[in-house]
Amino acid sequence: MTILIQTIGTILVMMQMFSIYINYKKGFFNKVEYILWEGLFACLFYSTLSPALYETVSAYLEMPSWTGLVIFLFFIFLTKLIYMNYLSNVEIKKQLEALIRMKTLEELPKL
Amino acid sequence: MLRHCVNLGKAASMKTGCEAAIKLGTDYIAFMDSDGQHKPEDVLRCVHILENEDVDIVIGGRIEKDNMPLVRKWGNLSLKILTHLIFNVAINDIQSGFRVFRVLLYDKIKWVSTGKDHYFADAEITCRIGMHQIKYKEIDIETIFFDNYKGMTFLEGLRLLKKIFIWRFTL
């Protein structure tokens, strides 16, 4: 069973890392973002292949298991990601609305 | 007529309209729903009231029809009572889309409801009237429905109730 999960995990991570590379080449990410995302998935890849390696860190942090540590770290990351996504969404919406309204009002003197 | 190149919803259209009216140097601004349910003659009635009485905004309240579903009647009543209790404003039709007001009032009643909440702008204006103790008058207006009433759903009504509570602390 473990080998099946590791195989699925490896395939998914490889696909994701390739997608990040493609998006970097397309110019959607800058170098910092590229390294950050690739690094994150590399960590995931590492934990998929040898989860026991995290036991030293979790033991140092006095956490009951290494899975708890991974879940905890990913939860923090996910929360931050949701917040950033929400913020950028709100900003884009507001800017778009302001732009459309400004464009509409520019037509006023022509009336 | 001004038209947004992308549909931004009712609340944003109302804002653009107000800003256009200010740019044109008008004295009064009138809101009417664009589905043809309001009569333009009523605008003149409201302007007459604004010119002769000590009020800053006139709201056209829709007359409740006898065949209105009970759930909608109760919904409207709950919204009315809640707005009265929280914002001390006794308006029967808190969501009426028919309003005429003085241009100077725009900064006080400027609404923040946009996006998926764009239909709550009218209710927000009502709450702001109470919050700033603006002098208002509500008159009965006749509404013409060309098709079945497409008002709020039950869930949207509940969302508006929640919003009114939130506005008490955020407006």
Side-chain angles (χ1 to χ4, degrees):
Chain A
M1 193 63 189
T2 315
I3 194 79
L4 179 70
I5 294 169
Q6 281 183 320
T7 312
I8 294 168
T10 306
I11 293 166
L12 286 176
V13 166
M14 296 291 263
M15 279 166 64
Q16 194 58 46
M17 286 176 93
F18 182 65
S19 160
I20 293 163
Y21 174 72
I22 296 284
N23 284 316
Y24 170 63
K25 283 284 161 195
K26 280 181 185 171
F28 293 160
F29 297 144
N30 61 32
K31 208 166 221 166
V32 179
E33 285 170 323
Y34 171 66
I35 293 166
L36 195 86
W37 283 110
E38 287 286 26
L40 183 84
F41 280 95
C43 287
L44 195 66
F45 188 42
Y46 196 57
S47 68
T48 310
L49 289 180
S50 48
L53 284 167
Y54 286 89
E55 273 168 12
T56 325
V57 186
S58 54
Y60 177 74
L61 293 169
E62 294 174 2
M63 295 192 91
S65 70
W66 67 270
T67 43
L69 175 73
V70 172
I71 290 167
F72 181 66
L73 290 174
F74 272 88
F75 184 72
I76 293 172
F77 180 73
L78 199 70
T79 313
K80 172 77 182 160
L81 208 67
I82 290 168
Y83 171 72
M84 279 163 62
N85 196 18
Y86 175 77
L87 193 71
S88 95
N89 227 338
V90 169
E91 271 176 7
I92 291 168
K93 263 188 203 170
K94 287 207 168 174
Q95 283 168 348
L96 196 67
E97 186 185 317
L99 182 75
I100 293 167
R101 291 185 45 234
M102 194 183 76
K103 279 281 211 185
T104 311
L105 285 170
E106 272 173 12
E107 287 171 23
L108 199 61
K110 294 175 213 160
L111 291 174
Chain B
M1 190 171 81
L2 291 175
R3 192 187 288 270
H4 286 151
C5 56
V6 174
N7 185 3
L8 295 177
K10 183 180 170 175
S13 306
M14 284 157 70
K15 267 186 196 165
T16 306
C18 285
E19 277 158 34
I22 292 165
K23 263 190 169 183
L24 291 169
T26 57
D27 294 327
Y28 305 110
I29 295 173
F31 289 148
M32 285 169 76
D33 287 346
S34 58
D35 55 3
Q37 66 166 289
H38 297 131
K39 286 181 173 177
E41 304 92 85
D42 287 327
V43 175
L44 296 175
R45 270 173 67 205
C46 294
V47 170
H48 183 76
I49 293 168
L50 286 170
E51 280 176 342
N52 296 293
E53 292 180 32
D54 187 24
V55 288
D56 293 320
I57 183 164
V58 182
I59 299 144
R62 292 164 290 188
I63 304 159
E64 276 194 5
K65 300 261 169 36
D66 292 333
N67 59 353
M68 191 185 257
L70 207 59
V71 67
R72 200 175 292 283
K73 268 188 187 173
W74 287 351
N76 286 346
L77 188 68
S78 321
L79 289 168
K80 181 182 139 185
I81 292 170
L82 189 71
T83 317
H84 186 41
L85 288 175
I86 295 181
F87 289 98
N88 194 26
V89 60
I91 294 172
N92 288 317
D93 189 1
I94 71 153
Q95 295 179 82
S96 169
F98 189 95
R99 287 145 203 260
V100 185
F101 57 94
R102 297 182 200 279
V103 163
L104 294 172
L105 207 64
Y106 178 58
D107 281 335
K108 277 188 183 173
I109 61 164
K110 203 173 174 183
W111 47 98
V112 290
S113 301
T114 49
K116 64 180 168 53
D117 292 338
H118 68 116
Y119 272 112
F120 297 161
D122 292 319
E124 188 189 328
I125 294 172
T126 305
C127 295
R128 285 179 185 272
I129 289 171
M131 200 176 76
H132 293 291
Q133 295 179 325
I134 294 163
K135 289 171 192 162
Y136 65 89
K137 183 172 186 175
E138 187 177 19
I139 58 162
D140 286 338
I141 55 158
E142 205 184 313
T143 44
I144 314 145
F145 292 109
F146 294 106
D147 48 11
N148 288 332
Y149 182 63
K150 291 178 280 186
M152 267 193 207
T153 61
F154 179 69
L155 282 177
E156 281 172 336
L158 286 180
R159 272 187 58 223
L160 180 55
L161 275 173
K162 186 189 81 184
K163 274 272 168 193
I164 293 171
F165 270 116
I166 295 170
W167 286 334
R168 170 68 184 81
F169 304 102
T170 56
L171 287 188

